[in-house]
Amino acid sequence: PMMHPHQKSNWGMDLGVGATCIYPLLASKFFHCNMVASEIDTNALALAKANVTANRFNHKIQLLEVAPSHSQQPSLPPGGPLERALQAWNQHPHQRLDFVMTNPPFYDPESMEHATPRAGDGRARTAMTVSEGSYPGGEGSLVTEMVAGSLRNPKSSLWFSLLFGDESSLLQLQKLTLHLLGPYHGEM
C-alpha cells in the first residue's frame, strides 16, 4: 500500500543490513519509509552505502556502523543487536520506530552448518561473508537477544519482524514466548 501524500512517513530499522541493503531500499521505494540500517561489517557497510547512493535514497536511508553485540564480542558491555543499533541511532532519541526487522540466516560459527551455509538446496546464491551469516548460538540466539532487547526497550518500536531460516529457531521462540507470556501467547 502506498502512503497518502499527507500521511506521516514510517520509520523502520534493519539490523544487520548486509551489503545489498535490499530491504531498506524496498521499504523506501515502495512504502516511502525512512530507514535506519545497522551493520557491524565495514566492507558490507561500504557496499550498502554505494547501493543506497546508486539508487538515490541517501535522504531516506541512514546507515550505521555499530559495535558487535556482547555475544559477538564478550569484552564489550552487555547488549544485543537492537541495543547497539539504538545506541548508534542517537540523532532521533525520541523518534519511535514503526518496525524493526532482521533477515537471517545466522548460523552458529561453532556448528558444521556454517561451513557451507549457502549449499542447502543447490540454488545459485550470492556470496555471504562470515559476519553476514553467523551469530554466536545461531539464529535462535539472535532471536532470543532480539526479544530481550525489545523487552528492555519497550518504547523503541511498535513491531518487530524476524524471518526464520530454521524451524528449530521458531520452536525456541515459542518456548521463550510461553515462558515470558504464558500458554495463551505461546500458541503458533
Side-chain angles (χ1 to χ4, degrees):
M2 296 295 193
M3 289 180 51
H4 186 274
H6 301 298
Q7 189 177 5
K8 80 165 189 82
S9 60
N10 292 319
W11 280 88
M13 180 180 277
D14 185 359
L15 302 174
V17 69
T20 63
C21 196
I22 189 65
Y23 292 110
L25 286 167
L26 291 171
S28 294
K29 180 173 178 70
F30 294 109
F31 299 101
H32 308 285
C33 293
N34 292 305
M35 293 295 297
V36 179
S38 71
E39 180 57 59
I40 64 169
D41 185 292
T42 304
N43 294 331
L45 190 65
L47 291 168
K49 285 181 181 179
N51 283 333
V52 169
T53 300
N55 285 281
R56 298 184 179 110
F57 277 101
N58 298 51
H59 64 291
K60 299 289 282 180
I61 300 172
Q62 181 181 1
L63 293 158
L64 305 172
E65 184 167 8
V66 298
S69 71
H70 179 74
S71 294
Q72 292 169 306
Q73 194 169 330
S75 62
L76 293 175
L82 178 62
E83 285 93 350
R84 295 296 190 252
L86 290 173
Q87 289 163 0
W89 189 53
N90 58 12
Q91 290 182 341
H92 302 283
H94 302 292
Q95 172 69 48
R96 185 174 186 169
L97 296 162
D98 294 295
F99 65 94
V100 175
M101 60 170 290
T102 190
N103 182 30
F106 293 105
Y107 299 97
D108 185 351
E110 302 296 320
S111 75
M112 290 302 294
E113 64 187 68
H114 179 67
T116 56
R118 295 286 181 144
D121 57 13
R123 291 182 292 164
R125 301 171 190 226
T126 58
M128 178 172 42
T129 67
V130 172
S131 67
E132 285 181 306
S134 67
Y135 197 82
E139 71 182 22
S141 292
L142 174 73
V143 168
T144 300
E145 286 194 24
M146 288 288 299
V147 170
S150 68
L151 292 172
R152 287 190 294 267
N153 298 279
K155 296 183 180 192
S156 63
S157 180
L158 296 173
W159 182 46
F160 293 87
S161 174
L162 302 153
L163 176 66
F164 293 104
D166 188 336
E167 183 181 5
S168 66
S169 300
L170 180 61
L171 297 174
Q172 187 173 344
L173 177 62
Q174 184 178 21
K175 287 178 185 175
L176 180 61
T177 305
L178 281 167
H179 174 73
L180 294 173
L181 302 175
Y184 177 75
H185 294 89
E187 297 174 12
M188 293 185 186

